Amino acid sequence: MTDKLLRLAIMISGRGSNMEAVIKSVDQGLLNVKLAVVISNNPEAKGIDVARKYKIPVYVFEIKDYKSKDEYEKAIVKLLYEYEAGLVALAGYMKIVGPVMLRAFKDRIINIHPSLLPAFKGLKAQKQAVDYGVRYSGCSVHFVNDTLDGGPVILQEAVPVDIDDTEETLSSKILKYEHILFSQAIKLYSENRLKIVNNKVKII
Ligand code: GRF
């Protein structure tokens, strides 16, 4: 008997190219998960149309429609339960995840960040790397906890930074690797191969 497929929820705020890369991995049979639902906090997100194109249910939750961040997250958690999400993948979701979601999905939320963490946390990580003048930056997939971009690292890929790189050129170089790395991390999770030990991720 085969195990039940992992039901994946993806949260976005914008373009959704990482989300689309994951969808394509599933379509190509490289990633064996069920794309259960997509959630956007931004009604203008381009990724909403992308998800619709692939016939994945999409919901918009705007924080301004709720009394508090907790209420907003409670509504999201309710939907995630309805769709029986087993893993929540943040693909360019531009909100800090609060205690309601963290409690409901402990060690079941992952994020992709465009730097080699712990370097260049927060916004505009690629600009931070260019401004600093590092020789390498890259991308990281990590579990989400209550520290911003500070949860246990699952996978990373290094990308060389050229002296002539701008925020834009570095972003597009890194993005190519993001599109590979995110699906790889989800695959490892779906195969139950990730174990958090002392805040580090063991790949079994
Ligand atoms: C990516 O660079 C991701 O690492 C960061 O936000 C960006 C989202 O891009 N968290 P997209 O919406 O997936 O195209």
Side-chain angles (χ1 to χ4, degrees):
M1 213 177 86
T2 51
D3 286 340
K4 230 179 125 198
L5 280 189
L6 174 72
R7 294 179 60 83
L8 180 69
I10 302 182
M11 294 183 69
I12 59 168
S13 298
R15 186 175 53 184
S17 72
N18 277 288
M19 174 196 71
E20 186 166 20
V22 171
I23 298 172
K24 284 185 175 161
S25 299
V26 175
D27 280 358
Q28 290 163 9
L30 302 170
L31 178 59
N32 203 17
V33 302
K34 169 77 186 164
L35 290 158
V37 65
V38 169
I39 294 172
S40 174
N41 68 304
N42 170 16
E44 310 281 314
K46 292 217 166 65
I48 294 174
D49 288 337
V50 179
R52 287 202 181 117
K53 187 174 91 189
Y54 290 95
K55 310 228 175 323
I56 300 165
V58 194
Y59 294 82
V60 175
F61 289 83
E62 283 191 86
I63 205 151
K64 69 172 176 57
D65 295 337
Y66 297 86
K67 278 205 302 272
S68 63
K69 172 107 176 255
D70 278 4
E71 294 301 317
Y72 159 81
E73 289 203 342
K74 275 182 198 164
I76 291 176
V77 165
K78 187 166 172 276
L79 187 87
L80 291 170
Y81 285 161
E82 276 166 25
Y83 277 88
E84 297 179 355
L87 178 69
V88 181
L90 308 183
Y93 176 65
M94 302 300 284
K95 288 260 169 281
I96 291 173
V97 177
V100 170
M101 280 187 62
L102 286 175
R103 244 192 325 260
F105 283 85
K106 185 171 162 36
D107 299 337
R108 290 192 295 152
I109 307 176
I110 64 171
N111 179 47
I112 179 133
H113 183 77
S115 76
L116 288 178
L117 290 170
F120 311 132
K121 294 177 176 178
L123 295 174
K124 292 193 166 280
Q126 303 94 330
K127 180 173 189 304
Q128 294 184 53
V130 167
D131 289 351
Y132 197 95
V134 288
R135 299 292 181 211
Y136 287 91
S137 189
C139 46
S140 309
V141 182
H142 63 93
F143 282 104
V144 174
N145 65 14
D146 59 0
T147 59
L148 178 66
D149 296 326
V153 170
I154 300 169
L155 292 176
Q156 293 186 304
E157 188 65 60
V159 177
V161 184
D162 294 333
I163 194 73
D164 299 327
D165 266 326
T166 61
E167 179 185 0
E168 289 71 31
T169 59
L170 183 61
S171 297
S172 74
K173 283 184 196 173
I174 293 175
L175 194 64
K176 280 195 202 126
Y177 291 93
E178 292 186 43
H179 291 167
I180 301 165
L181 207 69
F182 209 24
S183 291
Q184 286 177 344
I186 294 167
K187 185 172 194 305
L188 288 169
Y189 185 96
S190 72
E191 294 168 346
N192 282 319
R193 293 176 58 201
L194 302 177
K195 204 168 167 224
I196 303 175
V197 186
N198 297 329
N199 227 33
K200 295 179 190 174
V201 178
K202 233 180 163 162
I203 300 180
I204 306 159

